[in-house]
Every structure is written in C-alpha cells, then in structure tokens.
Amino acid sequence: MPDEVLVSPAELFGDGVFETIHLRPSGPFLASAHVERLSRSAALLDLEPLPLDLTGLVSDGPESALRIIRTRRSQHVTVSPIPPDTLRERDAGVRVISAGLGFALGGKPPWSLWEAKILSYAPNFAARRWARERGADDLLWLSTEGYALESPTASLVWLAGSDLCTVPWAEAQILPGTTAAHLLSLAPSVGLRPAHRMITIDELRGADAIWLASALRGLASVTALDDAPRRPSPWTPILRDLLGY
C-alpha cells in the first residue's frame, strides 16, 4: 500500500469545479467573470472559498489555455497550449447535430449541478464523441420540448435580424456562458441588440447565423445543423474581432 493518498475519493469522483480562461499576452481574458463563475460553481458544491491571484499570468505566445481546478483539498492553476482542433474549429467553424438531453425545462432535480462547471466532464466528452461518430464536430442539447440549450463545452449564440441572442441560463438551467455574455454586452457597439430568449430547434434552423461561444474557441460559426449546410455570415469576423480572437 502507498504511504500517501495523492487523490482523495472526492477528487476521484469528480467532486470539484474548474474554469478555463483564454490567456493572452495582455493577461487572462475576462478573468473576473470566470473567477465569479468559479465561485458560484464552488458554492453549489459547498466548497469553501480559497484566495486566488492571477496577477502576472500572461501567455508566452499569442494565446494559451489557463485552467483553475478547485477541489475539496486544494486549488491548482495550470497553463497549457490550446489544442489544434480547437483552433481549427474557431477558424473553419463546426458542424453540429442536435439531440435530446432527456429533461424538460424546469424538470431537473433540485440537486442538479448543470449550472456549475464541475470536474465530472466525462458525459460532456462522451456527447462530443457521439456527435463525431456521426460526422459532426459538436452536439447541441435539446430539452424534451425541443428547446435548444447548449453544447457540451460551449454556449449557443444566434442572430435573428438585428438581435444577437443567447439562451437565458437560469430559465434553461444551464451553465451561464462567460464568453457569450461578454459578446452580448458588446453587441450595441456594432448595431445589434442583445437578447436572452428560448428558441426551439425548428426556429433555430431559420436563424440568420448560429455560433458556439467558449473561452478557447472564442466564436465558432455553425456551418451545418443536423446535416443542413448553412451559409457563412458576414457577422462572424466582425464578432470575433469584437471579442479579440
């Protein structure tokens, strides 16, 4: 038997939270928003707050991935390269298929942790593998009523006329998207109106443009939804530039 247990049972079972931040030469992008979400996630797991100082952290190159991992025993900060597939999806866009999550709106149990970014990410990665086995790059989860919710690792953003929209996370009981929220806050600067609304998958198919937003991908254009190709949107480079990607 080893003299020291390096991983506690709680950590082994994924009883912790994390955040992924886009690290730039200027420092962590949207650091305060990510730290705030980390605190909300930790509170949902009854984790005690720990001090966190990201001062002085910068990327050695154009960009990196900064991760904060919080468990019941400790808190770790790591910096690593952004995976090539993530960069490719940012530039080339993503093919997305939709699938039911098995929950109705408001139907998740009171102990649900869907609004927290927890370490137990195996189902999220399994969902993406399932999508890739079917010729897509990513998945869009749907409620049993057919409302579009989020992808396993990104928030849904779409354009309807001059409205730049995302899903209201509290109503949908999903993880609040940091990158999506920041993008919507900047929308008026380019003449778009920010909006939070529910949308069915049928309504989404008629949107002027669809994107998946996340810290490392930034804003990835949905190039196909359920095998139906979508036209490139002139708004994609404008909004990516607005976010600084």
Side-chain angles (χ1 to χ4, degrees), residues 8 10 31 44 51 63 66 83 100 122 151 153 162 187 214 220 226 229:
S8 70
L44 287 170
E63 54 184 339
L66 167 65
S151 92
T153 61
S162 58
S214 59
D226 290 331

Side-chain angles (χ1 to χ4, degrees), residues 5-31:
V5 177
L6 299 180
V7 180
S8 70
E11 293 169 13
L12 178 64
F13 298 141
D15 191 22
V17 297
F18 77 101
E19 278 292 321
T20 301
I21 302 177
H22 190 237
L23 186 59
R24 302 175 174 183
S26 58
F29 183 52
L30 302 177

Side-chain angles (χ1 to χ4, degrees), residues 105-106 115 167-174 196-198:
L105 289 182
E115 296 170 22
V167 178
W169 64 269
E171 181 179 352
Q173 293 181 285
I174 60 175
H196 295 78
R197 63 179 63 150
M198 301 302 301

